[in-house]
Amino acid sequence: MYHYNVYSIYTLSGRMSQTLDRQKLDSLLSRVQKPARYSGGESGCAMKDKNAVDVRFAFCFPDKYEIGMSHLGIKILYGVLNTLDYVWCERVFAPDTDMEQLMRTENLPLYALESKDELTAFDFIGFTLQYELCYTNMLNMLDLAGLPVRAADRGDELKNIVIAGGPCTCNPEPITDFIDIFSIGEGEEALPELMALYREAKKEGIGKSEFLRRAAKLDGFYVPSLYTPQYHEDGTLAELIPTGDAPAKITKRIISDLENVFYPQEFVVPFTETVHDRAVIEVMRGCIRGCRFCQAGFIYRPVREKSSEKLNQNAKELCYSTGYEELSLCSLSTSDYSNIEPLLDQLLDWTAEDKVSLSLPSLRIDKFSKEVLDRISLLKKNGLTFAPEAGTQRMRDIINKNITEDEILRTCRIAFEGGYTAVKLYFMIGLPGETLEDIEGIAVLAQKIVDLYYSLPNKPKGKGVTVSASVASFVPKPHTPFEFEPQDTQDMLKEKQRHLLSCIKSKKIHISWHDSRISALEGVMARADRKICKVIETAWRMGCSFDAWDETFKYDLWLKAFEETGIDPAFYANRTRPYDELLPWDHISYGVDKSFLIRENMLSKEEKTTPNCRERCAGCGAKKLNGGCCIG
């Protein structure tokens, strides 16, 4: 472990090198809310001698510290990169508005938490993109670092390579003007390969453009500057032409052996509270379910699991090294883990004695049992959360949810008889084929759950029930069977919201939803092409950032940006795409065949379901990514 007494701030574009001592930085931090976001020095952070490494990587999360420090992916990749003796990976988070204002006033560049060096001192500036509405934050962070936001303006010197990964890169086109290279898929093995390539390139003294040409030959990396789009007169994509020997299709990287892949034995433990302040173990990747709206369920295929013994070992190491008193089991559908009950038994052997509570998010309604409930209840009894997603069976069949109303009520009965008095339900409105009768079905189902509670003779004595329904506006996403579908307009969504409220008759039912304007913008960004880059940059230059936060979302400026750039958002969000249209993301392969997505879309229109992957292989193609065979 290395220690330091001063914070080095090197060169900001057009400025002389300067050193900011601890006293000056402490003075600045004393003027902001939550200074621990910006101080670094937490237990578990990686400290290295910067003169003893060949590659420096600034891992940037384009949102607030407490959001980024809750994200498992950054913890894993931070650990992976720092296991390489020639790489030092450090963390960078988007400063909140108060800190940003001071940084700009004091001419203080954005810096990494470990060394306090500014971002221009780094070889790689890597962004993990979890949500489309963080794009303006990404530009803001580059600007705060003193770097041009457009890749073409950053020169050919082999440094400050901007790389992006995460789920949003399944359609990288909306931000291609800003990114040098995209990491497609899982990064534990891919990023070390890129670091080794860069190390050699640095020794050779080649330029950035030559390095990028070489990087494009590595599996799972997309260099957008090597591709030229051509458009039809109607604005749709006609062709994406690769330069030289750049591959026509980029296939995601996948970890075949999840059992033995790197997993951190310790986390960086923040000084301040974060959104998820707990130890986390990843039980599986992928999902067996095939819900047609769920992007994660398709881009993380195929399903891979860890053994319960390995997971128990991971959990012990993390809880003992961090001191966390809560442990969460992480996956897209935790109750679909094939050894969930044996795993819970192994964890309970020591968590109960050590007073470590257990959290099981992502519980499936049809996999919830009294046995699982009994194990959870030994440690923690908060409200339970389930996701029916739709209020009627017709809509649940359209989206391939594969659960019935009887299963929903059975699950709620188990919870109520087990002593629970609060249930939170996730729904969506704006789904393809939806009617106002389906919207009313949400209220009807919620009322049936309330009535069920009061009908039980062995319900908790002297306590009322609370049914909370969180209703999100559906956003069609790439690489799903609904990628072809139009998104509801705001007027349509507002009408449905009003209708739902009019159908609620009980004070025991609480309805909440997000701003439909934010969902509308998300829908544009999710399925756009390269032409949208100028809209994102224009909106950012007008003052847009933290667009996912209600208090900082500036919808009027976004509308102005669309108007000034001559881009119609409805073209990307509110039109049906024919099956034979070349989509902006069709050159990015996540292993699921487009023919399968078309077949699933057609089945949704027939209100027919597809069994989950364990019941019968549907032949999506994803098993071929790790050497398997799809037989559907």
Side-chain angles (χ1 to χ4, degrees):
M1 183 72 72
Y2 295 89
H3 300 279
Y4 43 84
N5 296 314
V6 296
Y7 300 113
S8 299
I9 305 298
Y10 292 105
T11 48
L12 186 61
S13 184
R15 265 183 22 173
M16 294 295 292
S17 174
Q18 63 173 306
T19 298
L20 184 66
D21 62 28
R22 185 182 296 272
Q23 185 175 2
K24 183 174 181 180
L25 182 58
D26 287 348
S27 173
L28 185 148
L29 295 184
S30 68
R31 296 152 61 188
V32 299
Q33 295 184 39
K34 300 185 179 180
R37 292 167 165 169
Y38 316 107
S39 60
E42 309 99 318
S43 172
C45 67
M47 300 302 298
K48 297 186 179 183
D49 180 355
K50 62 188 176 187
N51 297 312
V53 298
D54 298 321
V55 186
R56 299 189 65 187
F57 194 107
F59 204 132
C60 301
F61 194 94
D63 210 325
K64 298 177 185 179
Y65 175 93
E66 52 266 43
I67 305 295
M69 284 300 293
S70 301
H71 184 251
L72 179 58
I74 193 172
K75 300 174 192 290
I76 293 174
L77 295 178
Y78 177 84
V80 165
L81 290 173
N82 280 311
T83 61
L84 304 173
D85 58 8
Y86 64 91
V87 177
W88 186 11
C89 178
E90 305 181 46
R91 296 162 298 135
V92 187
F93 300 94
D96 206 349
T97 51
D98 57 341
M99 181 64 170
E100 180 191 343
Q101 183 178 357
L102 282 173
M103 291 174 72
R104 294 192 182 277
T105 300
E106 300 291 336
N107 205 21
L108 178 73
L110 188 63
Y111 57 86
L113 291 183
E114 281 75 7
S115 66
K116 303 302 183 295
D117 287 352
E118 66 167 89
L119 266 61
T120 51
F122 286 79
D123 299 292
F124 285 90
I125 299 164
F127 289 92
T128 179
L129 302 175
Q130 302 297 312
Y131 186 37
E132 291 86 353
L133 296 192
C134 70
Y135 292 162
T136 52
N137 277 12
M138 178 185 71
L139 300 191
N140 210 40
M141 292 173 76
L142 289 172
D143 185 63
L144 279 169
L147 289 166
V149 298
R150 286 186 169 265
D153 297 333
R154 291 195 288 265
D156 197 48
E157 188 176 354
L158 190 61
K159 66 173 187 176
N160 303 151
I161 293 174
V162 178
I163 181 172
C168 286
T169 62
C170 73
N171 178 21
E173 296 307 290
I175 50 172
T176 48
D177 286 356
F178 317 118
I179 304 298
D180 294 308
I181 183 169
F182 289 93
S183 176
I184 307 299
E186 297 165 359
E188 291 100 323
E189 295 171 349
L191 283 181
E193 289 179 15
L194 188 68
M195 297 303 101
L197 183 71
Y198 182 86
R199 188 189 196 189
E200 291 303 312
K202 204 172 183 180
K203 290 177 182 177
E204 291 182 39
I206 64 174
K208 182 187 295 184
S209 56
E210 175 59 25
F211 167 73
L212 292 176
R213 278 192 288 271
R214 296 182 186 182
K217 297 177 183 178
L218 293 177
D219 291 340
F221 289 101
Y222 171 49
V223 178
S225 60
L226 300 181
Y227 299 77
T228 303
Q230 300 290 332
Y231 298 96
H232 294 295
E233 288 187 7
D234 65 358
T236 59
L237 185 66
E239 190 177 5
L240 189 67
I241 305 170
T243 300
D245 55 359
K249 189 175 285 287
I250 297 88
T251 300
K252 77 165 183 176
R253 291 294 293 268
I254 185 174
I255 301 299
S256 297
D257 184 8
L258 195 65
E259 177 80 358
N260 294 307
V261 73
F262 171 88
Y263 199 79
Q265 295 181 359
E266 62 178 351
F267 287 167
V268 179
V269 181
F271 291 132
T272 187
E273 186 177 358
T274 60
V275 174
H276 299 305
D277 216 6
R278 60 200 184 195
V280 183
I281 55 171
E282 183 187 27
V283 299
M284 58 189 284
R285 286 188 190 174
C287 181
I288 67 172
R289 294 292 171 170
C291 299
R292 292 170 179 142
F293 60 85
C294 181
Q295 186 182 65
F298 288 94
I299 67 173
Y300 292 119
R301 289 187 178 203
V303 173
R304 291 144 291 153
E305 294 185 345
K306 288 186 179 181
S307 68
S308 59
E309 292 77 17
K310 174 68 76 171
L311 291 169
N312 191 44
Q313 175 190 338
N314 290 159
K316 283 183 178 179
E317 290 170 346
L318 277 176
C319 288
Y320 293 160
S321 67
T322 62
Y324 278 125
E325 296 178 344
E326 182 177 351
L327 173 67
S328 177
L329 309 188
C330 176
S331 77
L332 293 176
S333 182
T334 303
S335 50
D336 280 325
Y337 175 63
S338 58
N339 291 308
I340 185 64
E341 291 181 16
L343 172 61
L344 291 175
D345 287 338
Q346 290 177 54
L347 294 173
L348 287 169
D349 281 344
W350 58 273
T351 53
E353 182 179 345
D354 293 351
K355 294 182 171 56
V356 174
S357 64
L358 199 58
S359 172
L360 273 74
S362 306
L363 291 174
R364 281 281 305 191
I365 286 173
D366 58 338
K367 295 285 286 187
F368 190 76
S369 65
K370 185 178 184 301
E371 290 73 23
V372 171
L373 180 72
D374 289 343
R375 288 166 171 82
I376 300 172
S377 300
L378 286 172
L379 298 173
K380 194 174 184 179
K381 188 169 287 187
N382 293 335
L384 290 172
T385 301
F386 302 102
E389 307 293 3
T392 64
Q393 193 60 49
R394 188 184 77 89
M395 278 310 309
R396 288 192 291 273
D397 290 345
I398 287 175
I399 64 177
N400 204 46
K401 188 64 183 176
N402 276 323
I403 56 171
T404 65
E405 183 174 289
D406 286 345
E407 288 173 323
I408 297 169
L409 295 176
R410 178 193 64 82
T411 294
C412 291
R413 175 187 291 272
I414 292 171
F416 294 151
E417 291 179 341
Y420 288 81
T421 60
V423 173
K424 184 171 185 178
L425 305 173
Y426 284 117
F427 294 97
M428 287 183 290
I429 60 173
L431 290 161
E434 184 179 68
T435 67
L436 289 182
E437 184 178 342
D438 297 310
I439 298 298
E440 184 177 351
I442 295 174
V444 171
L445 178 59
Q447 186 62 53
K448 286 182 178 179
I449 294 171
V450 171
D451 295 342
L452 169 68
Y453 177 85
Y454 287 107
S455 72
L456 297 175
N458 53 347
K459 64 181 178 292
K461 302 300 181 184
K463 294 182 179 180
V465 68
T466 300
V467 176
S468 300
S470 177
V471 185
S473 298
F474 169 64
V475 177
K477 290 294 181 82
H479 301 284
T480 72
F482 290 157
E483 67 180 14
F484 311 100
E485 297 294 333
Q487 183 178 7
D488 271 7
T489 65
Q490 286 186 63
D491 287 343
M492 295 165 68
L493 290 171
K494 288 176 182 176
E495 179 188 1
K496 291 177 178 180
Q497 289 171 347
R498 287 192 295 266
H499 184 67
L500 176 57
L501 281 179
S502 72
C503 296
I504 301 297
K505 307 302 181 184
S506 171
K507 293 182 178 179
K508 304 295 183 182
I509 302 171
H510 303 283
I511 300 289
S512 63
W513 46 61
H514 295 142
D515 191 333
S516 63
R517 300 174 305 169
I518 293 178
S519 299
L521 182 59
E522 180 188 348
V524 174
M525 297 301 154
R527 293 189 291 171
D529 53 35
R530 295 189 181 199
K531 289 176 287 187
I532 212 73
C533 291
K534 59 184 178 181
V535 179
I536 295 172
E537 183 177 358
T538 300
W540 164 69
R541 292 193 184 280
M542 287 178 175
C544 292
S545 64
F546 287 107
D547 297 304
W549 296 76
D550 291 340
E551 60 270 25
T552 48
F553 181 53
K554 303 179 181 70
Y555 188 58
D556 56 333
L557 294 184
W558 275 102
L559 292 179
K560 188 176 180 182
F562 281 111
E563 182 180 355
E564 287 196 3
T565 55
I567 299 293
D568 180 9
F571 176 79
Y572 297 112
N574 307 124
R575 70 179 178 90
T576 301
R577 289 157 172 78
Y579 293 146
D580 60 355
E581 179 177 332
L582 180 64
L583 302 176
W585 53 90
D586 277 348
H587 61 296
I588 305 294
S589 172
Y590 276 78
V592 177
D593 299 330
K594 190 172 181 178
S595 59
F596 172 79
L597 299 179
I598 292 171
R599 189 163 71 246
E600 282 293 293
N601 183 270
M602 296 172 67
L603 287 173
S604 76
K605 297 182 187 306
E606 298 171 12
E607 301 177 15
K608 293 181 179 179
T609 61
T610 299
N612 73 60
C613 297
R614 287 199 181 125
E615 290 182 21
R616 188 182 74 219
C617 176
C620 74
K623 284 184 180 179
K624 292 181 284 188
L625 287 171
N626 60 351
C629 177
C630 286
I631 59 175

Coordinates of all heavy atoms in Angstrom, one line a residue, residues 385-431:
T385 N -40.6 -7.8 -2.9 CA -40.9 -7.2 -4.2 C -41.0 -8.3 -5.2 O -40.2 -9.2 -5.3 CB -39.7 -6.3 -4.5 OG1 -39.6 -5.3 -3.5 CG2 -39.9 -5.6 -5.8
F386 N -42.0 -8.2 -6.1 CA -42.2 -9.1 -7.2 C -42.6 -8.3 -8.4 O -43.0 -7.1 -8.3 CB -43.3 -10.1 -6.9 CG -43.1 -10.9 -5.6 CD1 -43.7 -10.6 -4.4 CD2 -42.2 -12.0 -5.7 CE1 -43.5 -11.4 -3.3 CE2 -42.0 -12.7 -4.5 CZ -42.6 -12.4 -3.4
A387 N -42.5 -8.9 -9.6 CA -42.7 -8.2 -10.8 C -43.7 -8.9 -11.7 O -43.3 -9.7 -12.6 CB -41.4 -8.0 -11.6
P388 N -45.0 -8.7 -11.5 CA -46.0 -9.3 -12.5 C -45.9 -8.6 -13.9 O -46.2 -9.2 -14.9 CB -47.3 -8.9 -11.8 CG -47.0 -8.6 -10.4 CD -45.7 -8.0 -10.4
E389 N -45.4 -7.4 -13.9 CA -45.2 -6.6 -15.1 C -46.5 -6.1 -15.9 O -46.5 -5.1 -16.4 CB -44.3 -7.3 -16.1 CG -43.0 -7.9 -15.6 CD -42.0 -6.8 -15.2 OE1 -42.3 -5.6 -15.3 OE2 -40.9 -7.2 -14.8
A390 N -47.5 -6.9 -15.8 CA -48.8 -6.6 -16.5 C -49.9 -7.0 -15.6 O -49.8 -8.0 -14.9 CB -48.8 -7.2 -17.9
G391 N -51.1 -6.4 -15.8 CA -52.2 -6.7 -14.9 C -53.1 -7.7 -15.5 O -54.0 -8.2 -14.7
T392 N -53.1 -8.1 -16.7 CA -53.9 -9.1 -17.3 C -53.1 -10.3 -17.9 O -52.0 -10.1 -18.2 CB -54.8 -8.5 -18.4 OG1 -54.0 -8.1 -19.5 CG2 -55.6 -7.3 -17.9
Q393 N -53.8 -11.4 -17.9 CA -53.1 -12.6 -18.5 C -52.7 -12.4 -19.9 O -51.7 -12.9 -20.4 CB -53.9 -13.8 -18.3 CG -53.2 -15.1 -18.5 CD -52.0 -15.3 -17.5 OE1 -52.1 -15.1 -16.3 NE2 -50.8 -15.6 -18.1
R394 N -53.6 -11.7 -20.7 CA -53.3 -11.5 -22.1 C -52.0 -10.7 -22.3 O -51.2 -11.1 -23.1 CB -54.5 -10.7 -22.7 CG -54.4 -10.5 -24.2 CD -55.6 -9.6 -24.7 NE -55.2 -8.2 -24.4 CZ -54.6 -7.5 -25.3 NH1 -54.1 -8.0 -26.4 NH2 -54.3 -6.2 -25.0
M395 N -51.8 -9.7 -21.5 CA -50.6 -8.9 -21.6 C -49.4 -9.7 -21.1 O -48.3 -9.6 -21.7 CB -50.7 -7.6 -20.8 CG -51.4 -6.5 -21.5 SD -50.9 -6.1 -23.2 CE -49.1 -6.0 -23.0
R396 N -49.6 -10.5 -20.1 CA -48.4 -11.3 -19.6 C -48.0 -12.3 -20.6 O -46.8 -12.7 -20.7 CB -48.8 -11.9 -18.2 CG -48.8 -10.9 -17.1 CD -48.9 -11.6 -15.7 NE -50.1 -12.3 -15.5 CZ -51.2 -11.7 -15.0 NH1 -51.2 -10.5 -14.6 NH2 -52.3 -12.4 -14.8
D397 N -49.0 -12.8 -21.4 CA -48.7 -13.7 -22.5 C -47.9 -13.0 -23.6 O -47.0 -13.5 -24.2 CB -49.9 -14.4 -23.0 CG -50.5 -15.4 -22.0 OD1 -49.8 -15.8 -21.1 OD2 -51.7 -15.8 -22.2
I398 N -48.4 -11.8 -23.9 CA -47.7 -11.0 -25.0 C -46.3 -10.8 -24.7 O -45.4 -10.9 -25.6 CB -48.5 -9.7 -25.2 CG1 -49.8 -9.9 -25.9 CG2 -47.6 -8.7 -26.0 CD1 -50.7 -8.7 -26.1
I399 N -46.0 -10.5 -23.4 CA -44.6 -10.2 -23.1 C -43.8 -11.4 -22.6 O -42.6 -11.3 -22.3 CB -44.5 -9.1 -21.9 CG1 -45.1 -9.6 -20.6 CG2 -45.2 -7.8 -22.4 CD1 -45.0 -8.6 -19.5
N400 N -44.5 -12.6 -22.7 CA -43.8 -13.9 -22.3 C -43.4 -13.9 -20.9 O -42.3 -14.5 -20.6 CB -42.7 -14.1 -23.3 CG -42.4 -15.6 -23.4 OD1 -43.3 -16.4 -23.5 ND2 -41.1 -16.0 -23.2
K401 N -44.2 -13.4 -20.0 CA -43.9 -13.4 -18.6 C -44.0 -14.8 -18.0 O -43.3 -15.1 -17.0 CB -44.7 -12.4 -17.8 CG -44.3 -12.2 -16.4 CD -43.0 -11.6 -16.3 CE -42.6 -11.4 -14.8 NZ -41.2 -10.9 -14.7
N402 N -44.9 -15.6 -18.5 CA -45.1 -17.0 -18.1 C -45.4 -17.1 -16.6 O -44.9 -18.0 -16.0 CB -43.9 -17.8 -18.5 CG -43.9 -18.3 -20.0 OD1 -45.0 -18.6 -20.5 ND2 -42.8 -18.3 -20.6
I403 N -46.2 -16.3 -16.1 CA -46.8 -16.5 -14.8 C -48.3 -16.2 -14.9 O -48.8 -15.5 -15.7 CB -46.2 -15.5 -13.7 CG1 -46.3 -14.1 -14.2 CG2 -44.8 -15.9 -13.4 CD1 -45.9 -13.1 -13.1
T404 N -49.1 -16.8 -14.0 CA -50.5 -16.7 -14.0 C -51.0 -15.9 -12.8 O -50.2 -15.7 -11.8 CB -51.2 -18.1 -13.9 OG1 -50.9 -18.7 -12.7 CG2 -50.8 -19.0 -15.1
E405 N -52.2 -15.4 -12.8 CA -52.7 -14.7 -11.7 C -52.8 -15.6 -10.4 O -52.5 -15.2 -9.3 CB -54.1 -14.2 -12.0 CG -54.7 -13.4 -10.9 CD -56.0 -12.7 -11.3 OE1 -56.0 -11.8 -12.1 OE2 -57.1 -13.2 -10.7
D406 N -53.1 -16.9 -10.6 CA -53.1 -17.8 -9.5 C -51.7 -17.9 -8.8 O -51.6 -18.0 -7.6 CB -53.6 -19.2 -9.9 CG -55.0 -19.3 -10.2 OD1 -55.8 -18.4 -9.8 OD2 -55.5 -20.3 -10.9
E407 N -50.7 -17.9 -9.6 CA -49.3 -17.9 -9.1 C -49.0 -16.7 -8.3 O -48.3 -16.7 -7.3 CB -48.3 -18.2 -10.2 CG -48.3 -19.6 -10.7 CD -47.5 -19.8 -11.9 OE1 -47.4 -18.9 -12.8 OE2 -46.9 -20.9 -12.1
I408 N -49.4 -15.5 -8.8 CA -49.2 -14.3 -8.1 C -49.9 -14.3 -6.8 O -49.3 -13.9 -5.8 CB -49.7 -13.1 -9.0 CG1 -49.0 -13.0 -10.3 CG2 -49.7 -11.8 -8.2 CD1 -49.6 -12.0 -11.3
L409 N -51.2 -14.7 -6.7 CA -51.9 -14.7 -5.5 C -51.3 -15.7 -4.5 O -51.3 -15.5 -3.3 CB -53.4 -14.9 -5.8 CG -54.1 -13.8 -6.6 CD1 -55.5 -14.2 -6.9 CD2 -54.1 -12.5 -5.8
R410 N -50.9 -16.9 -5.1 CA -50.3 -17.9 -4.2 C -49.0 -17.4 -3.5 O -48.8 -17.6 -2.3 CB -49.9 -19.1 -5.0 CG -49.2 -20.3 -4.2 CD -48.6 -21.3 -5.2 NE -47.6 -20.7 -6.0 CZ -46.3 -20.6 -5.6 NH1 -45.9 -20.9 -4.4 NH2 -45.4 -20.1 -6.4
T411 N -48.2 -16.7 -4.3 CA -47.0 -16.1 -3.7 C -47.3 -15.1 -2.7 O -46.7 -15.0 -1.6 CB -46.2 -15.4 -4.9 OG1 -45.7 -16.5 -5.8 CG2 -45.0 -14.7 -4.3
C412 N -48.3 -14.2 -2.9 CA -48.7 -13.2 -1.9 C -49.2 -13.9 -0.6 O -49.0 -13.4 0.5 CB -49.7 -12.2 -2.5 SG -49.0 -11.1 -3.7
R413 N -50.0 -15.0 -0.8 CA -50.5 -15.7 0.3 C -49.4 -16.3 1.2 O -49.4 -16.1 2.4 CB -51.4 -16.9 -0.1 CG -51.9 -17.8 1.0 CD -52.6 -19.0 0.5 NE -53.9 -18.6 -0.2 CZ -55.0 -18.5 0.5 NH1 -55.1 -18.8 1.8 NH2 -56.1 -18.2 -0.1
I414 N -48.3 -16.8 0.6 CA -47.2 -17.4 1.3 C -46.5 -16.2 2.1 O -46.2 -16.4 3.3 CB -46.2 -18.0 0.3 CG1 -46.8 -19.3 -0.3 CG2 -44.9 -18.3 1.0 CD1 -45.9 -19.9 -1.4
A415 N -46.4 -15.1 1.5 CA -45.7 -13.9 2.1 C -46.6 -13.5 3.3 O -46.0 -13.2 4.4 CB -45.5 -12.8 1.1
F416 N -47.9 -13.3 3.1 CA -48.7 -12.8 4.2 C -48.8 -13.8 5.3 O -48.7 -13.4 6.5 CB -50.1 -12.6 3.6 CG -50.2 -11.4 2.6 CD1 -51.2 -11.4 1.6 CD2 -49.3 -10.4 2.7 CE1 -51.3 -10.4 0.7 CE2 -49.4 -9.3 1.8 CZ -50.3 -9.3 0.8
E417 N -48.9 -15.1 5.0 CA -49.0 -16.1 6.1 C -47.6 -16.2 6.8 O -47.5 -16.7 7.9 CB -49.4 -17.5 5.5 CG -50.8 -17.5 5.0 CD -51.3 -18.8 4.4 OE1 -50.4 -19.6 4.0 OE2 -52.5 -19.0 4.4
G418 N -46.6 -15.8 6.1 CA -45.2 -15.8 6.8 C -45.0 -14.6 7.6 O -43.8 -14.4 8.1
G419 N -45.9 -13.7 7.7 CA -45.8 -12.5 8.6 C -45.5 -11.2 7.8 O -45.4 -10.1 8.5
Y420 N -45.5 -11.2 6.5 CA -45.3 -10.0 5.8 C -46.6 -9.2 5.6 O -47.6 -9.8 5.4 CB -44.7 -10.3 4.4 CG -43.2 -10.7 4.5 CD1 -42.9 -12.0 4.8 CD2 -42.2 -9.8 4.2 CE1 -41.6 -12.5 4.9 CE2 -40.9 -10.2 4.3 CZ -40.6 -11.6 4.7 OH -39.3 -11.9 4.8
T421 N -46.5 -7.9 5.7 CA -47.6 -7.0 5.5 C -47.5 -6.0 4.4 O -48.3 -5.1 4.2 CB -47.9 -6.3 6.8 OG1 -46.8 -5.4 7.2 CG2 -48.2 -7.2 8.0
A422 N -46.3 -6.0 3.7 CA -46.1 -5.1 2.6 C -45.6 -5.8 1.4 O -44.7 -6.7 1.5 CB -45.1 -4.0 3.0
V423 N -46.2 -5.6 0.3 CA -45.7 -6.2 -1.0 C -45.6 -5.0 -2.0 O -46.4 -4.2 -2.2 CB -46.8 -7.2 -1.5 CG1 -46.4 -7.7 -2.9 CG2 -46.9 -8.4 -0.6
K424 N -44.4 -5.0 -2.7 CA -44.2 -4.1 -3.8 C -44.2 -4.8 -5.1 O -43.6 -5.9 -5.3 CB -42.9 -3.4 -3.7 CG -42.7 -2.3 -4.7 CD -41.4 -1.4 -4.4 CE -41.3 -0.3 -5.4 NZ -40.1 0.6 -5.1
L425 N -45.0 -4.3 -6.1 CA -45.2 -4.9 -7.4 C -44.7 -4.0 -8.5 O -45.0 -2.8 -8.5 CB -46.6 -5.2 -7.6 CG -47.3 -6.1 -6.5 CD1 -48.8 -6.2 -6.8 CD2 -46.7 -7.5 -6.5
Y426 N -43.9 -4.5 -9.4 CA -43.5 -3.8 -10.6 C -44.4 -4.1 -11.8 O -44.6 -5.2 -12.1 CB -42.0 -4.1 -10.9 CG -41.0 -3.5 -10.0 CD1 -40.2 -4.3 -9.2 CD2 -40.9 -2.1 -9.9 CE1 -39.3 -3.7 -8.3 CE2 -40.0 -1.5 -9.0 CZ -39.2 -2.3 -8.2 OH -38.3 -1.8 -7.4
F427 N -44.8 -3.0 -12.4 CA -45.6 -3.1 -13.6 C -45.1 -2.2 -14.7 O -44.3 -1.3 -14.4 CB -47.1 -2.7 -13.4 CG -47.9 -3.6 -12.5 CD1 -48.0 -3.3 -11.1 CD2 -48.5 -4.8 -12.9 CE1 -48.7 -4.1 -10.3 CE2 -49.2 -5.6 -12.1 CZ -49.3 -5.3 -10.7
M428 N -45.5 -2.4 -15.9 CA -45.2 -1.5 -17.0 C -46.5 -1.1 -17.7 O -47.4 -1.8 -17.8 CB -44.2 -2.1 -18.0 CG -42.8 -2.3 -17.5 SD -41.7 -3.0 -18.8 CE -42.4 -4.6 -18.9
I429 N -46.5 0.1 -18.3 CA -47.5 0.6 -19.2 C -46.9 1.0 -20.5 O -45.7 1.3 -20.5 CB -48.4 1.7 -18.6 CG1 -47.5 2.9 -18.3 CG2 -49.2 1.3 -17.4 CD1 -48.4 4.2 -17.9
G430 N -47.7 1.0 -21.6 CA -47.1 1.3 -22.9 C -46.6 0.1 -23.6 O -45.9 0.2 -24.6
L431 N -46.9 -1.1 -23.2 CA -46.5 -2.3 -23.8 C -47.2 -2.6 -25.2 O -48.3 -2.1 -25.3 CB -46.7 -3.5 -22.9 CG -45.8 -3.6 -21.6 CD1 -46.5 -4.5 -20.6 CD2 -44.4 -4.1 -22.0

